[in-house]
Amino acid sequence: DADVTQTPRNRITKTGKRIMLECSQTKGHDRMYWYRQDPGLGLQLIYYSFDVKDINKGEISDGYSVSRQAQAKFSLSLESAIPNQTALYFCATSDVGSNTGELFFGEGSRLTVL
Amino acid sequence: AQSVAQPEDQVNVAEGNPLTVKCTYSVSGNPYLFWYVQYPNRGLQFLLKYITGDNLVKGSYGFEAEFNKSQTSFHLKKPSALVSDSALYFCAVRPANDYKLSFGAGTTVTVRA
């Protein structure tokens, strides 16, 4: 089983719908992140959380919200999806005990908003 | 603010030839530098990192990268490319005192048989 699991892996939805992407991890890491990948733009940070009570906005948080339900779970919500949120979304974790902050990624959730 | 530039969208090489993927960065203070690889329909996988010490770092799958402080570069290299190295490669940087990584736009590597 993957250490960082994302569900769903693929989702097609319509404009205005609410969507939740879920992430769970078995690595025991405190830090969790949501990134968005668009072709030619690399990865952009949406939100990050350094522990259950800590939520921080990233570079492109508008239109998104997150919930850290437990150390192992971090979900990303789109309250009212729009077509330009069509992208590949990645959850990642890192270990607070690591001085390098190396990220461990899930397999990605591909979202299409029609 | 930190940033990463990967000047080549695509790199094409023949199998057995050397492979170089370029990366330059901008960051305040000492940089922590990373290379990740993404295979089709997969998440990003860590290849190697530079934190401090020797400028030449070795990583997974025979890859290495050279840190050049004066040129603010961290180019990824492999002496002899394989077809299986065909993938999307990302360079990333963060300052030593911040855990938020900034990624480049990525470089698609195609190794032809």
Side-chain angles (χ1 to χ4, degrees), chain A residues 29-62:
Chain A
H29 290 169
D30 287 321
R31 298 177 175 181
M32 299 188 73
Y33 310 77
W34 276 104
Y35 282 90
R36 167 178 171 157
Q37 182 182 15
D38 296 278
L41 293 179
L43 277 75
Q44 297 171 279
L45 182 62
I46 306 173
Y47 272 95
Y48 61 102
S49 169
F50 282 179
D51 66 38
V52 174
K53 297 181 180 180
D54 176 78
I55 302 290
N56 303 282
K57 293 182 177 180
E59 306 165 272
I60 55 163
S61 59
D62 288 348

Side-chain angles (χ1 to χ4, degrees), chain A residues 36 38 62-64 77-89 111-113:
Chain A
R36 167 178 171 157
D38 296 278
D62 288 348
Y64 302 94
S77 294
L78 289 68
E79 295 300 326
S80 179
I82 56 176
N84 76 0
Q85 291 178 312
T86 294
L88 184 57
Y89 292 86
L111 177 65
T112 302
V113 184

